[in-house]
Amino acid sequence: MTISDVTVPHRDWKSVLRHDVPASLVVFLVAVPLSLGVAVASGAPLAAGLIAAVVGGVVVGALGGSVVQVSGPTAGLSLVVAELVHTYGWRATCAITAMAGLLQLGLGALRVARAALGVSPAVVHGMLAGLGVLIALSQLHIVLGGSPQRSALGNVLELPAQIVHNHTHAVLIGVLTITVLLVWGRIPRLRAVPAPLAALVIATLTAGVAGWDLTRVDLGGGFSSVQTPLAPQGDWHAIAGAVLLVALLSGVESLLTAVSSNRLHDGPRADLDRELTAQGVGNVVSGVLGGLPVAGVVVRTTTNARAGARSRRSTVLHGGWVLLFTTAFAWMIALIPLEALAALLLFIGVQMVNLGHVRNLRNHREVPVYVVTMAGVVLIGLAEGVAIGLALAALLALRRLAWVSVDVRQDGERRWRIVVTGSLTFLGVPRLTEALRAIPAGSAVELDLHLDFMDNAAFTALHDWRLEHERAGGVIDVDEPHGEWYSAAISGGRLFPVRIPPRHDRWWLPWAYRRPAGAHPYGSFEVSGADGGSAAGHDGDAVICEPQGVPDLLRGTREFQRRTAPMARALFTRMARKQSPSHLFITCADSRIVPNIITASGPGDLFTVRNIGNLVPRAGAAPPDDSVAAAIEYAVNVLEVRTVTVCGHSGCGAMAALLGEVPDLPALRAWLRHGRQSLARFVAAGPGQDADDAGPLDRLCRINVIQQLDNLRTHPLVDERLRAGRLELTGLYFDIGAARVHALEQERFTPVPELRTIG
């Protein structure tokens, strides 16, 4: 904790008074009734809930790692505490709370907080939902005027008798409390007052005016009646398990709440290790003072953020308000009907079964983990339910990691295509062999392996089938776009999933830079067949080598048809009838300039014009040229592009020709006359003053872009659209040697900044 966390600089007092103080009052109004309700559900003294609220605000709030998180007693721990109170007594439970805090301190010192995020959210939400069901079932009996049973099943079996025989004032006050909770937040003018506070106030006033016979809250002397902790007696293994359970449950709930709180504000992100350490200190202090365990609470944290809190001072102040109110107005708390608190807890328990979480988990196919965990917590027990949920989550994760898809389809009369995707392990061998069995003998097969792993059993099954198929006269073309697991296994090489470099030998590299067909990355190899012969190994990209003399262009189109076309076919089908580009892109015919690469654009984005020198003849220029003018008219008038971009580049041959002697090529000489304005502008500008100028040629290349933009304005259609604000002209310059794009801004080119990922 830094000094700035405690002291408030003079310039910050205004922000504290404007934002943190009002937010702290709102959280305080929410915290008091919730803390009392959790204490009731925990079977602890009511003062213990208020003590935990004060400690969670003042201690954890001052030391915590989250700006807006509010800690205190939580309903998620109430049943655990209730069981501990029943087993060891209240004073021993306080000692267990303090020991759990010490354990959290140790875990925080070891900086293991982020490990808690490795727990499946489906397990956490299922656990909280199960606890919510248990809380709702137990408190429902109190609302009906009876007493809760020891188990969920007992509560369910006893419920019909409670409903039939108990029609007392407790039922009326419970129904009233729940009605207020349901209706209050739906009335805009009443939202300023928290619904839990309003429900308890209305229930208390109604019970007092009507004179109903209800059980009242008993603070038992307030804070003065607090009992000191006592060492628990009994099996130390069970006690150690209880300490571990309290530490882990409160720690995980706090850390998950801290992570969620990051989405509620724009301030500094939560420091999870610091938050876990603060929770440890808070539990030690709360246990020693006779309070309940503390943890980050979603309801109070959300309320704090929405109320406009800007710093931890709001959390600290809310704890101070709880302490002040309990000390000065304890008599008001004693007026609250216990049945109203039970109804409040019943409402909270139902809310813990969050259907929004179920919808999110359904999208990731994790609903079974949620349901099994919730059912385990309700029917068996908390620890057992969580353990079952974790085991199921691990099994489903292993199943997904071992998932493989085998797609077989016929591409022609005697040609088949097999696409294998996922992790090809022994678990997927039955599915693989079943699919391969459908391939007729002697047919041509394209085998695409999109694998992130292949084990020995899968390789053996696949390779044995390949050899058998080739002996029967068939041919197989193996392609491995991602990792060359099959090729490596043939050559005896080893691959590791985390070390596989991305395959960059595809579309954006020149043909000359790609591996020649038939050249295997691991060298040549031979595979002995069952008949004693051998099968020559080939490149994992193409087991069938291209015939000698096949042009690079045809080889490239073959690669497109095989790899890119299946993925892009749906896109091209949608665009087949109409094009709607957003840019007219005028650039040089230089073979080193690929517009789609330097702009990261795709099909349908750019209407492209390429010529020598990226020149735009002026309107009415001599010699006349209609090709560029026609493209401009069609793009602006018919396609209605919003932007026209001229892109030049370093080392342009056309600009070099303007600086030197134009080759004796009549058509080229005539065309380069359209660049004379650029040359004149270059001469008038004189020597370059920019430190990054590479020389006269590159200065002329940049000036040429500026001049061609001026030439564009001489075309009436372009000028009209510019004046109407319906068209924009932009200039780009591509430095080939640095692979860097520069954008034109006020007659100067500045490098386009890189887009960096924050995380």
Side-chain angles (χ1 to χ4, degrees):
M1 183 172 63
T2 62
I3 294 177
S4 61
D5 293 331
V6 178
T7 60
V8 182
H10 178 72
R11 63 179 181 276
D12 289 346
W13 274 113
K14 188 175 181 180
S15 175
V16 172
L17 293 174
R18 182 178 178 181
H19 300 288
D20 292 329
V21 171
S24 70
L25 290 170
V26 174
V27 179
F28 150 71
L29 295 176
V30 173
V32 170
L34 293 183
S35 299
L36 293 172
V38 172
V40 171
S42 303
L46 293 180
L50 298 172
I51 291 172
V54 174
V55 172
V58 176
V59 178
V60 181
L63 302 177
S66 173
V67 175
V68 298
Q69 175 156 303
V70 181
S71 297
T74 171
L77 285 170
S78 60
L79 295 182
V80 176
V81 175
E83 185 64 27
L84 294 178
V85 173
H86 179 267
T87 304
Y88 302 105
W90 170 242
R91 296 179 66 186
T93 301
C94 292
I96 291 174
T97 299
M99 288 187 284
L102 292 175
L103 179 57
Q104 288 177 326
L105 277 172
L107 294 174
L110 294 175
R111 305 186 68 82
V112 298
R114 288 198 172 272
L117 302 181
V119 179
S120 170
V123 175
V124 176
H125 295 318
M127 176 194 71
L128 294 176
L131 290 172
V133 171
L134 292 173
I135 291 171
L137 287 175
S138 63
Q139 299 305 308
L140 180 58
H141 284 272
I142 298 177
V143 172
L144 293 174
S147 300
Q149 305 300 308
R150 293 284 302 159
S151 66
L153 184 59
N155 280 321
V156 172
L157 295 177
E158 183 69 17
L159 193 57
Q162 294 277 16
I163 295 175
V164 171
H165 299 295
N166 291 291
H167 299 285
T168 62
H169 294 156
V171 177
L172 296 177
I173 205 68
V175 171
L176 175 62
T177 303
I178 293 174
T179 301
V180 174
L181 290 170
L182 289 172
V183 174
W184 194 265
R186 301 177 184 274
I187 304 176
R189 295 182 179 180
L190 302 180
R191 289 177 183 173
V193 179
L197 177 66
L200 292 186
V201 169
I202 292 175
T204 302
L205 292 176
T206 302
V209 172
W212 288 343
D213 183 18
L214 299 169
T215 307
R216 303 292 176 174
V217 168
D218 182 12
L219 280 178
F223 292 150
S224 61
S225 63
V226 170
Q227 297 177 335
T228 57
L230 183 67
Q233 302 297 319
D235 182 6
W236 276 100
H237 293 90
I239 295 172
V243 171
L244 181 63
L245 184 62
V246 173
L248 292 181
L249 287 180
S250 64
V252 169
E253 186 171 353
S254 299
L255 295 176
L256 292 177
T257 303
V259 172
S260 300
S261 72
N262 287 335
R263 297 191 289 267
L264 301 175
H265 66 96
D266 298 327
R269 304 295 87 182
D271 183 336
L272 298 185
D273 291 305
R274 175 174 172 175
E275 183 63 34
L276 181 58
T277 302
Q279 296 294 337
V281 175
N283 277 312
V284 171
V285 175
S286 183
V288 170
L289 295 179
L292 289 168
V294 297
V297 189
V298 174
V299 174
R300 275 169 258 189
T301 301
T302 304
T303 302
N304 192 36
R306 290 178 177 173
R310 298 292 179 87
S311 72
R312 283 185 287 272
R313 299 181 186 101
S314 172
T315 305
V316 175
L317 285 171
H318 117 273
W321 301 133
V322 174
L323 176 61
L324 178 63
F325 176 79
T326 306
T327 304
F329 302 100
W331 61 271
M332 295 178 62
I333 298 177
L335 300 175
I336 300 175
L338 199 60
E339 291 81 0
L341 287 177
L344 174 61
L345 279 171
L346 170 63
F347 185 78
I348 294 173
V350 172
Q351 285 187 318
M352 290 172 69
V353 185
N354 193 324
L355 296 180
H357 293 154
V358 178
R359 285 191 292 270
N360 294 334
L361 294 172
R362 182 181 59 189
N363 296 335
H364 299 278
R365 300 181 181 179
E366 294 183 277
V367 173
V369 178
Y370 177 91
V371 173
V372 168
T373 305
M374 180 176 67
V377 171
V378 173
L379 300 176
I380 305 175
L382 178 61
E384 294 84 351
V386 171
I388 294 173
L390 289 173
L392 180 59
L395 288 175
L396 291 179
L398 289 174
R399 181 177 177 272
R400 294 188 186 103
L401 290 175
W403 172 86
V404 64
S405 169
V406 183
D407 180 32
V408 179
R409 58 180 178 268
Q410 190 171 2
D411 280 354
E413 183 178 352
R414 296 286 295 169
R415 191 164 190 85
W416 293 75
R417 182 182 181 87
I418 306 173
V419 181
V420 185
T421 307
S423 297
L424 191 52
T425 66
F426 66 94
L427 297 174
V429 168
R431 179 181 298 179
L432 176 66
T433 55
E434 180 182 359
L436 296 178
R437 196 178 297 117
I439 306 298
S443 58
V445 178
E446 290 186 355
L447 177 59
D448 289 351
L449 301 177
H450 299 265
L451 304 179
D452 49 37
F453 180 74
M454 176 191 288
D455 69 3
N456 182 67
F459 165 74
T460 302
L462 181 61
H463 192 60
D464 288 348
W465 170 81
R466 174 199 160 195
L467 295 178
E468 182 180 349
H469 190 79
E470 289 179 341
R471 281 195 297 269
V475 290
I476 303 176
D477 188 353
V478 181
D479 189 19
E480 297 186 82
H482 304 297
E484 294 168 327
W485 294 98
Y486 181 74
S487 303
I490 291 177
S491 64
R494 298 180 64 193
L495 289 181
F496 301 91
V498 295
R499 301 178 187 173
I500 297 176
R503 292 286 300 276
H504 290 323
D505 58 342
R506 290 299 170 191
W507 58 275
W508 63 270
L509 280 179
W511 291 315
Y513 281 75
R514 305 184 195 182
R515 289 198 301 269
H520 191 272
Y522 302 99
S524 61
F525 56 88
E526 286 190 350
V527 180
S528 297
D531 57 354
S534 63
H538 302 280
D539 183 11
D541 294 334
V543 172
I544 299 176
C545 299
E546 295 281 5
Q548 293 295 324
V550 174
D552 287 333
L553 193 64
L554 292 181
R555 186 178 292 113
T557 57
R558 180 180 181 277
E559 182 177 317
F560 166 79
Q561 288 299 137
R562 174 178 186 144
R563 174 163 302 166
T564 309
M567 296 186 291
R569 187 168 286 115
L571 173 65
F572 280 107
T573 299
R574 289 195 296 269
M575 296 191 304
R577 296 185 178 181
K578 182 182 179 181
Q579 63 168 323
S580 301
S582 57
H583 284 65
L584 167 60
F585 197 83
I586 303 174
T587 190
C588 187
D590 193 294
S591 62
R592 299 166 295 180
I593 308 302
V594 184
N596 295 103
I597 289 182
I598 64 176
T599 62
S601 55
D605 291 331
L606 305 180
F607 187 76
T608 306
V609 173
R610 304 191 66 158
N611 59 51
I612 294 178
N614 47 269
L615 299 178
V616 179
R618 299 170 67 87
D625 178 82
D626 293 332
S627 63
V628 177
I632 294 172
E633 290 178 355
Y634 189 80
V636 174
N637 196 39
V638 178
L639 300 179
E640 296 184 340
V641 298
R642 299 288 300 177
T643 307
V644 180
T645 299
V646 176
C647 178
H649 65 93
S650 61
C652 179
M655 297 301 104
L658 286 175
L659 287 175
E661 184 176 344
V662 178
D664 189 17
L665 300 171
L668 178 62
R669 185 184 297 275
W671 171 252
L672 289 180
R673 292 176 185 172
H674 297 298
R676 289 177 177 175
Q677 292 90 356
S678 299
L679 182 61
R681 192 168 190 158
F682 167 77
V683 173
Q689 303 297 323
D690 297 337
D692 62 342
D693 274 334
L697 175 58
D698 286 343
R699 287 205 306 275
L700 177 57
C701 293
R702 299 185 189 198
I703 288 175
N704 181 57
V705 173
I706 301 173
Q707 179 60 48
Q708 303 314 311
L709 291 174
D710 287 348
N711 291 353
L712 273 168
R713 296 182 178 92
T714 65
H715 292 263
L717 183 60
V718 173
D719 184 63
E720 176 189 341
R721 296 292 176 94
L722 285 173
R723 293 178 182 275
R726 298 166 59 189
L727 189 66
E728 180 183 3
L729 302 184
T730 62
L732 296 178
Y733 173 82
F734 182 57
D735 187 337
I736 296 176
R740 192 67 185 261
V741 179
H742 299 247
L744 179 63
E745 297 179 1
Q746 299 179 350
E747 300 287 316
R748 290 177 59 86
F749 286 93
T750 58
V752 175
E754 296 180 5
L755 180 62
R756 300 186 181 276
T757 302
I758 300 175

PDB file of all heavy atoms in Angstrom, residues 494-511:
ATOM      1  N   ARG A 494      10.883 -34.402 -34.583  1.00  0.00           N
ATOM      2  CA  ARG A 494       9.987 -34.196 -33.449  1.00  0.00           C
ATOM      3  C   ARG A 494       9.429 -32.779 -33.511  1.00  0.00           C
ATOM      4  O   ARG A 494      10.152 -31.825 -33.777  1.00  0.00           O
ATOM      5  CB  ARG A 494      10.720 -34.395 -32.121  1.00  0.00           C
ATOM      6  CG  ARG A 494      11.276 -35.791 -31.916  1.00  0.00           C
ATOM      7  CD  ARG A 494      11.987 -35.888 -30.584  1.00  0.00           C
ATOM      8  NE  ARG A 494      11.059 -35.682 -29.478  1.00  0.00           N
ATOM      9  CZ  ARG A 494      11.455 -35.464 -28.214  1.00  0.00           C
ATOM     10  NH1 ARG A 494      12.734 -35.407 -27.924  1.00  0.00           N
ATOM     11  NH2 ARG A 494      10.557 -35.303 -27.266  1.00  0.00           N
ATOM     12  N   LEU A 495       8.139 -32.698 -33.266  1.00  0.00           N
ATOM     13  CA  LEU A 495       7.479 -31.396 -33.218  1.00  0.00           C
ATOM     14  C   LEU A 495       6.788 -31.240 -31.877  1.00  0.00           C
ATOM     15  O   LEU A 495       6.329 -32.214 -31.285  1.00  0.00           O
ATOM     16  CB  LEU A 495       6.448 -31.255 -34.340  1.00  0.00           C
ATOM     17  CG  LEU A 495       6.988 -31.102 -35.772  1.00  0.00           C
ATOM     18  CD1 LEU A 495       5.831 -30.945 -36.732  1.00  0.00           C
ATOM     19  CD2 LEU A 495       7.923 -29.920 -35.875  1.00  0.00           C
ATOM     20  N   PHE A 496       6.714 -29.996 -31.407  1.00  0.00           N
ATOM     21  CA  PHE A 496       6.034 -29.680 -30.158  1.00  0.00           C
ATOM     22  C   PHE A 496       5.008 -28.589 -30.460  1.00  0.00           C
ATOM     23  O   PHE A 496       5.334 -27.594 -31.106  1.00  0.00           O
ATOM     24  CB  PHE A 496       7.013 -29.199 -29.095  1.00  0.00           C
ATOM     25  CG  PHE A 496       8.080 -30.202 -28.770  1.00  0.00           C
ATOM     26  CD1 PHE A 496       9.285 -30.198 -29.467  1.00  0.00           C
ATOM     27  CD2 PHE A 496       7.876 -31.164 -27.798  1.00  0.00           C
ATOM     28  CE1 PHE A 496      10.262 -31.124 -29.182  1.00  0.00           C
ATOM     29  CE2 PHE A 496       8.858 -32.092 -27.496  1.00  0.00           C
ATOM     30  CZ  PHE A 496      10.055 -32.081 -28.197  1.00  0.00           C
ATOM     31  N   PRO A 497       3.763 -28.765 -29.993  1.00  0.00           N
ATOM     32  CA  PRO A 497       2.712 -27.793 -30.353  1.00  0.00           C
ATOM     33  C   PRO A 497       3.088 -26.359 -30.056  1.00  0.00           C
ATOM     34  O   PRO A 497       2.816 -25.472 -30.858  1.00  0.00           O
ATOM     35  CB  PRO A 497       1.514 -28.261 -29.516  1.00  0.00           C
ATOM     36  CG  PRO A 497       1.754 -29.712 -29.280  1.00  0.00           C
ATOM     37  CD  PRO A 497       3.246 -29.868 -29.177  1.00  0.00           C
ATOM     38  N   VAL A 498       3.727 -26.099 -28.907  1.00  0.00           N
ATOM     39  CA  VAL A 498       4.007 -24.706 -28.546  1.00  0.00           C
ATOM     40  C   VAL A 498       5.191 -24.148 -29.317  1.00  0.00           C
ATOM     41  O   VAL A 498       5.465 -22.960 -29.268  1.00  0.00           O
ATOM     42  CB  VAL A 498       4.285 -24.596 -27.033  1.00  0.00           C
ATOM     43  CG1 VAL A 498       3.058 -24.959 -26.249  1.00  0.00           C
ATOM     44  CG2 VAL A 498       5.455 -25.486 -26.624  1.00  0.00           C
ATOM     45  N   ARG A 499       5.942 -25.012 -30.023  1.00  0.00           N
ATOM     46  CA  ARG A 499       7.133 -24.540 -30.720  1.00  0.00           C
ATOM     47  C   ARG A 499       6.961 -24.502 -32.230  1.00  0.00           C
ATOM     48  O   ARG A 499       7.896 -24.195 -32.949  1.00  0.00           O
ATOM     49  CB  ARG A 499       8.324 -25.447 -30.386  1.00  0.00           C
ATOM     50  CG  ARG A 499       8.645 -25.496 -28.904  1.00  0.00           C
ATOM     51  CD  ARG A 499       9.792 -26.441 -28.648  1.00  0.00           C
ATOM     52  NE  ARG A 499      10.022 -26.625 -27.208  1.00  0.00           N
ATOM     53  CZ  ARG A 499      10.881 -27.501 -26.703  1.00  0.00           C
ATOM     54  NH1 ARG A 499      11.584 -28.279 -27.501  1.00  0.00           N
ATOM     55  NH2 ARG A 499      11.025 -27.613 -25.395  1.00  0.00           N
ATOM     56  N   ILE A 500       5.791 -24.888 -32.715  1.00  0.00           N
ATOM     57  CA  ILE A 500       5.601 -24.925 -34.160  1.00  0.00           C
ATOM     58  C   ILE A 500       5.523 -23.495 -34.680  1.00  0.00           C
ATOM     59  O   ILE A 500       4.644 -22.740 -34.298  1.00  0.00           O
ATOM     60  CB  ILE A 500       4.315 -25.677 -34.523  1.00  0.00           C
ATOM     61  CG1 ILE A 500       4.428 -27.130 -34.078  1.00  0.00           C
ATOM     62  CG2 ILE A 500       4.064 -25.604 -36.019  1.00  0.00           C
ATOM     63  CD1 ILE A 500       3.165 -27.914 -34.314  1.00  0.00           C
ATOM     64  N   PRO A 501       6.453 -23.096 -35.553  1.00  0.00           N
ATOM     65  CA  PRO A 501       6.365 -21.740 -36.102  1.00  0.00           C
ATOM     66  C   PRO A 501       5.217 -21.643 -37.090  1.00  0.00           C
ATOM     67  O   PRO A 501       4.823 -22.636 -37.695  1.00  0.00           O
ATOM     68  CB  PRO A 501       7.723 -21.574 -36.817  1.00  0.00           C
ATOM     69  CG  PRO A 501       8.107 -22.972 -37.200  1.00  0.00           C
ATOM     70  CD  PRO A 501       7.577 -23.862 -36.100  1.00  0.00           C
ATOM     71  N   PRO A 502       4.647 -20.466 -37.242  1.00  0.00           N
ATOM     72  CA  PRO A 502       3.571 -20.314 -38.221  1.00  0.00           C
ATOM     73  C   PRO A 502       4.078 -20.561 -39.626  1.00  0.00           C
ATOM     74  O   PRO A 502       5.220 -20.235 -39.956  1.00  0.00           O
ATOM     75  CB  PRO A 502       3.117 -18.854 -38.027  1.00  0.00           C
ATOM     76  CG  PRO A 502       4.291 -18.180 -37.395  1.00  0.00           C
ATOM     77  CD  PRO A 502       4.984 -19.217 -36.557  1.00  0.00           C
ATOM     78  N   ARG A 503       3.226 -21.165 -40.445  1.00  0.00           N
ATOM     79  CA  ARG A 503       3.614 -21.474 -41.815  1.00  0.00           C
ATOM     80  C   ARG A 503       3.466 -20.217 -42.667  1.00  0.00           C
ATOM     81  O   ARG A 503       2.369 -19.741 -42.915  1.00  0.00           O
ATOM     82  CB  ARG A 503       2.720 -22.595 -42.347  1.00  0.00           C
ATOM     83  CG  ARG A 503       2.954 -23.913 -41.679  1.00  0.00           C
ATOM     84  CD  ARG A 503       4.244 -24.553 -42.142  1.00  0.00           C
ATOM     85  NE  ARG A 503       4.223 -24.789 -43.568  1.00  0.00           N
ATOM     86  CZ  ARG A 503       3.668 -25.873 -44.118  1.00  0.00           C
ATOM     87  NH1 ARG A 503       3.126 -26.794 -43.361  1.00  0.00           N
ATOM     88  NH2 ARG A 503       3.673 -26.029 -45.422  1.00  0.00           N
ATOM     89  N   HIS A 504       4.604 -19.667 -43.127  1.00  0.00           N
ATOM     90  CA  HIS A 504       4.578 -18.468 -43.956  1.00  0.00           C
ATOM     91  C   HIS A 504       5.111 -18.760 -45.357  1.00  0.00           C
ATOM     92  O   HIS A 504       5.721 -17.907 -45.978  1.00  0.00           O
ATOM     93  CB  HIS A 504       5.410 -17.359 -43.314  1.00  0.00           C
ATOM     94  CG  HIS A 504       4.796 -16.792 -42.089  1.00  0.00           C
ATOM     95  ND1 HIS A 504       3.445 -16.602 -41.950  1.00  0.00           N
ATOM     96  CD2 HIS A 504       5.339 -16.383 -40.929  1.00  0.00           C
ATOM     97  CE1 HIS A 504       3.176 -16.091 -40.761  1.00  0.00           C
ATOM     98  NE2 HIS A 504       4.301 -15.965 -40.120  1.00  0.00           N
ATOM     99  N   ASP A 505       4.906 -19.985 -45.820  1.00  0.00           N
ATOM    100  CA  ASP A 505       5.389 -20.314 -47.156  1.00  0.00           C
ATOM    101  C   ASP A 505       4.228 -20.345 -48.134  1.00  0.00           C
ATOM    102  O   ASP A 505       4.190 -21.146 -49.042  1.00  0.00           O
ATOM    103  CB  ASP A 505       6.101 -21.665 -47.144  1.00  0.00           C
ATOM    104  CG  ASP A 505       5.196 -22.782 -46.640  1.00  0.00           C
ATOM    105  OD1 ASP A 505       4.169 -22.471 -46.002  1.00  0.00           O
ATOM    106  OD2 ASP A 505       5.512 -23.944 -46.873  1.00  0.00           O
ATOM    107  N   ARG A 506       3.265 -19.469 -47.925  1.00  0.00           N
ATOM    108  CA  ARG A 506       2.063 -19.533 -48.736  1.00  0.00           C
ATOM    109  C   ARG A 506       1.877 -18.286 -49.579  1.00  0.00           C
ATOM    110  O   ARG A 506       2.806 -17.786 -50.193  1.00  0.00           O
ATOM    111  CB  ARG A 506       0.863 -19.785 -47.825  1.00  0.00           C
ATOM    112  CG  ARG A 506       0.848 -21.185 -47.241  1.00  0.00           C
ATOM    113  CD  ARG A 506       0.779 -22.222 -48.330  1.00  0.00           C
ATOM    114  NE  ARG A 506       1.001 -23.561 -47.828  1.00  0.00           N
ATOM    115  CZ  ARG A 506       1.192 -24.614 -48.600  1.00  0.00           C
ATOM    116  NH1 ARG A 506       1.239 -24.478 -49.896  1.00  0.00           N
ATOM    117  NH2 ARG A 506       1.369 -25.799 -48.079  1.00  0.00           N
ATOM    118  N   TRP A 507       0.665 -17.769 -49.539  1.00  0.00           N
ATOM    119  CA  TRP A 507       0.206 -16.820 -50.538  1.00  0.00           C
ATOM    120  C   TRP A 507       1.019 -15.556 -50.633  1.00  0.00           C
ATOM    121  O   TRP A 507       1.173 -14.993 -51.710  1.00  0.00           O
ATOM    122  CB  TRP A 507      -1.260 -16.485 -50.266  1.00  0.00           C
ATOM    123  CG  TRP A 507      -1.495 -15.917 -48.912  1.00  0.00           C
ATOM    124  CD1 TRP A 507      -1.686 -16.608 -47.759  1.00  0.00           C
ATOM    125  CD2 TRP A 507      -1.547 -14.538 -48.560  1.00  0.00           C
ATOM    126  NE1 TRP A 507      -1.858 -15.765 -46.706  1.00  0.00           N
ATOM    127  CE2 TRP A 507      -1.785 -14.481 -47.165  1.00  0.00           C
ATOM    128  CE3 TRP A 507      -1.417 -13.357 -49.280  1.00  0.00           C
ATOM    129  CZ2 TRP A 507      -1.884 -13.280 -46.487  1.00  0.00           C
ATOM    130  CZ3 TRP A 507      -1.527 -12.160 -48.609  1.00  0.00           C
ATOM    131  CH2 TRP A 507      -1.763 -12.124 -47.228  1.00  0.00           C
ATOM    132  N   TRP A 508       1.597 -15.039 -49.515  1.00  0.00           N
ATOM    133  CA  TRP A 508       2.178 -13.710 -49.629  1.00  0.00           C
ATOM    134  C   TRP A 508       3.661 -13.731 -49.980  1.00  0.00           C
ATOM    135  O   TRP A 508       4.247 -12.681 -50.253  1.00  0.00           O
ATOM    136  CB  TRP A 508       1.962 -12.921 -48.340  1.00  0.00           C
ATOM    137  CG  TRP A 508       2.623 -13.474 -47.119  1.00  0.00           C
ATOM    138  CD1 TRP A 508       2.117 -14.361 -46.245  1.00  0.00           C
ATOM    139  CD2 TRP A 508       3.933 -13.148 -46.643  1.00  0.00           C
ATOM    140  NE1 TRP A 508       3.006 -14.629 -45.245  1.00  0.00           N
ATOM    141  CE2 TRP A 508       4.135 -13.890 -45.460  1.00  0.00           C
ATOM    142  CE3 TRP A 508       4.950 -12.307 -47.092  1.00  0.00           C
ATOM    143  CZ2 TRP A 508       5.312 -13.823 -44.721  1.00  0.00           C
ATOM    144  CZ3 TRP A 508       6.118 -12.228 -46.354  1.00  0.00           C
ATOM    145  CH2 TRP A 508       6.297 -12.978 -45.189  1.00  0.00           C
ATOM    146  N   LEU A 509       4.287 -14.901 -50.009  1.00  0.00           N
ATOM    147  CA  LEU A 509       5.680 -14.982 -50.426  1.00  0.00           C
ATOM    148  C   LEU A 509       5.781 -15.158 -51.943  1.00  0.00           C
ATOM    149  O   LEU A 509       4.953 -15.831 -52.548  1.00  0.00           O
ATOM    150  CB  LEU A 509       6.373 -16.155 -49.741  1.00  0.00           C
ATOM    151  CG  LEU A 509       6.845 -15.933 -48.304  1.00  0.00           C
ATOM    152  CD1 LEU A 509       7.491 -17.193 -47.764  1.00  0.00           C
ATOM    153  CD2 LEU A 509       7.816 -14.780 -48.220  1.00  0.00           C
ATOM    154  N   PRO A 510       6.817 -14.603 -52.562  1.00  0.00           N
ATOM    155  CA  PRO A 510       7.022 -14.859 -53.998  1.00  0.00           C
ATOM    156  C   PRO A 510       7.253 -16.350 -54.246  1.00  0.00           C
ATOM    157  O   PRO A 510       7.724 -17.078 -53.389  1.00  0.00           O
ATOM    158  CB  PRO A 510       8.276 -14.041 -54.323  1.00  0.00           C
ATOM    159  CG  PRO A 510       8.389 -13.036 -53.222  1.00  0.00           C
ATOM    160  CD  PRO A 510       7.821 -13.678 -52.011  1.00  0.00           C
ATOM    161  N   TRP A 511       6.944 -16.776 -55.453  1.00  0.00           N
ATOM    162  CA  TRP A 511       7.114 -18.190 -55.786  1.00  0.00           C
ATOM    163  C   TRP A 511       8.552 -18.640 -55.556  1.00  0.00           C
ATOM    164  O   TRP A 511       8.805 -19.755 -55.104  1.00  0.00           O
ATOM    165  CB  TRP A 511       6.741 -18.424 -57.260  1.00  0.00           C
ATOM    166  CG  TRP A 511       5.280 -18.256 -57.536  1.00  0.00           C
ATOM    167  CD1 TRP A 511       4.253 -18.742 -56.791  1.00  0.00           C
ATOM    168  CD2 TRP A 511       4.692 -17.556 -58.625  1.00  0.00           C
ATOM    169  NE1 TRP A 511       3.058 -18.392 -57.339  1.00  0.00           N
ATOM    170  CE2 TRP A 511       3.281 -17.666 -58.470  1.00  0.00           C
ATOM    171  CE3 TRP A 511       5.199 -16.845 -59.719  1.00  0.00           C
ATOM    172  CZ2 TRP A 511       2.391 -17.098 -59.372  1.00  0.00           C
ATOM    173  CZ3 TRP A 511       4.322 -16.287 -60.618  1.00  0.00           C
ATOM    174  CH2 TRP A 511       2.930 -16.401 -60.448  1.00  0.00           C
TER     175      TRP A 511
END
